[in-house]
Amino acid sequence: MEWENQTILVEFFLKGLSGYPSLELLFFVLILIMYVVILLGNGTLILISILDSHLHTPMYFFLGNLSFLDICYTSTSIPSTLVSFLSERKTISFSGCAVQMFLGLAMGTTECVLLGMMAFDRYVAICNPLRYPVIISKDSFVPMAAGSWIIGVINSAVQTVFVVRLPFCRNNVINHFSCEILAVMKLACADISGNEFIMLVATTLFILTPLLLIIISYTLIIISILKIRSSEGRSKVFSTCSAHLTVVIIFYGTILFMYMKPKSTETLNSVELDATDKLISLFYGVITPMMNPLIYSLRNKDVKEAVKHLLRRNMFNK
């Protein structure tokens, strides 16, 4: 009853590192450098996948989508986070928060589904190479990628709509760098059990189901690799999927730890836990997109050759 007399919120305060002003400049520099690397690294992968005809394959089509997704995902929160580090005003409007929440969740969901599609692509390429051109044809891999984006948008739209309809009355301090959906939900002055159920269903469908597809695909891939008698052959086959597997482990390892950890370990006003959550969020929200192009470049001969070819061509044209 006390909440009903409160003014409806029109903006949120992003706490971020406001309790540690001495660290804000350091984090500004670090995150700015990582953001530049994200833009350059993923932009380069997109460019070479378009310009190099040798990379016009389903695998690199998916990789190009992943790189574009990482650019979009980080661009939804990093620029505003950088501004907040240098500004005394660390607020965001309610509508701006809703947009940021929608875009972040849409990109995150899309990446989960897309990684599952990429694992299936690697399974077919290694375990059924003769049928690969038929199963993963242009009529199938383009809709697979498009479907990942559509699923991400629909899931995010549903969850965002249910969150913005919640009443936010008194507390407007989001203990996060950006409008992350869980952090916003905790501020509602109403029962959020329905939202938590929707999130549980969405997590099962769009995070755990792709993860299950990845586990099954790589289990079958490992079995297939072990059947190869030549050690050189095993190494060559494994190298074609090791980069993707590394990205999956880093991405899912951090995101599952954050969203699936037991609630009983959480306590109110736990500074240590808040700091841990923020660092984990920073890891999968910034460092993972930064590492993706580096991992694919260092562990993929085709990508390295394409980059060298692009650099040589640019130098020759000059």
Side-chain angles (χ1 to χ4, degrees):
M1 293 298 293
E2 188 178 357
W3 279 326
E4 293 178 2
N5 296 324
Q6 302 297 319
T7 303
I8 300 301
L9 296 181
V10 295
E11 65 180 12
F12 291 101
F13 176 83
L14 296 171
K15 187 176 180 180
L17 290 173
S18 57
Y20 308 90
S22 59
L23 292 177
E24 288 190 323
L25 182 59
L26 173 62
F27 270 77
F28 173 83
V29 174
L30 290 176
I31 294 176
L32 178 60
I33 293 172
M34 288 188 285
Y35 186 50
V36 171
V37 174
I38 288 169
L39 296 179
L40 291 177
N42 287 287
T44 300
L45 277 178
I46 294 172
L47 188 63
I48 63 172
S49 65
I50 294 173
L51 297 179
D52 196 313
S53 59
H54 296 94
L55 302 184
H56 291 175
T57 63
M59 175 183 172
Y60 294 103
F61 177 77
F62 286 127
L63 182 56
N65 271 264
L66 182 63
S67 295
F68 180 68
L69 185 62
D70 282 337
I71 291 175
C72 295
Y73 181 65
T74 52
S75 297
T76 61
S77 59
I78 291 181
S80 61
T81 300
L82 292 173
V83 171
S84 71
F85 283 149
L86 299 181
S87 173
E88 293 183 3
R89 183 175 175 84
K90 303 179 186 298
T91 57
I92 183 171
S93 66
F94 187 90
S95 57
C97 186
V99 170
Q100 192 178 79
M101 186 165 51
F102 166 76
L103 292 175
L105 185 58
M107 299 301 108
T109 303
T110 302
E111 182 151 355
C112 289
V113 179
L114 188 62
L115 287 173
M117 299 294 186
M118 293 175 72
F120 177 72
D121 169 75
R122 292 299 83 206
Y123 157 72
V124 178
I126 293 172
C127 299
N128 294 281
L130 297 179
R131 298 183 60 191
Y132 182 79
V134 177
I135 299 175
I136 311 294
S137 63
K138 190 172 184 179
D139 292 334
S140 59
F141 70 77
V142 173
M144 286 166 66
S148 301
W149 287 90
I150 293 171
I151 289 172
V153 170
I154 292 175
N155 173 53
S156 182
V158 170
Q159 293 203 54
T160 302
V161 166
F162 278 98
V163 170
V164 298
R165 290 176 62 186
L166 292 170
F168 298 91
C169 313
R170 193 183 272 178
N171 184 9
N172 71 333
V173 179
I174 299 177
N175 192 15
H176 213 277
F177 293 105
S178 62
C179 288
E180 197 269 341
I181 189 167
L182 279 177
V184 175
M185 280 171 51
K186 291 178 181 179
L187 301 182
C189 51
D191 181 19
I192 61 171
S193 58
N195 298 78
E196 290 177 333
F197 177 75
I198 293 172
M199 181 170 285
L200 177 63
V201 173
T203 299
T204 303
L205 290 176
F206 307 127
I207 295 181
L208 298 183
T209 301
L211 179 60
L212 180 62
L213 176 61
I214 292 169
I215 293 172
I216 293 173
S217 297
Y218 275 99
T219 299
L220 296 174
I221 287 172
I222 291 172
I223 292 174
S224 178
I225 291 175
L226 292 176
K227 291 180 179 179
I228 300 175
R229 295 181 179 180
S230 168
S231 59
E232 183 180 348
R234 287 196 298 268
S235 177
K236 184 177 180 180
V237 172
F238 184 74
S239 65
T240 64
C241 60
S242 59
H244 177 252
L245 184 59
T246 304
V247 169
V248 166
I249 292 172
I250 294 173
F251 179 81
Y252 268 100
T254 51
I255 201 172
L256 286 176
F257 179 81
M258 182 168 185
Y259 287 101
M260 303 299 290
K261 63 181 183 294
K263 299 295 181 182
S264 58
T265 64
E266 296 184 358
T267 56
L268 291 176
N269 301 320
S270 173
V271 177
E272 183 179 355
L273 184 63
D274 289 343
T276 301
D277 280 351
K278 291 175 185 178
L279 289 174
I280 294 171
S281 172
L282 184 66
F283 187 82
Y284 84 78
V286 180
I287 298 179
T288 302
M290 181 187 70
M291 292 179 65
N292 284 355
L294 297 177
I295 292 170
Y296 279 105
S297 299
L298 294 174
R299 302 186 65 86
N300 192 300
K301 184 179 178 181
D302 292 335
V303 172
K304 286 189 284 188
E305 289 298 323
V307 171
K308 291 178 183 178
H309 178 70
L310 181 63
L311 292 175
R312 284 197 299 266
R313 188 168 64 178
N314 289 337
M315 292 176 63
F316 180 76
N317 290 336
K318 290 181 180 180

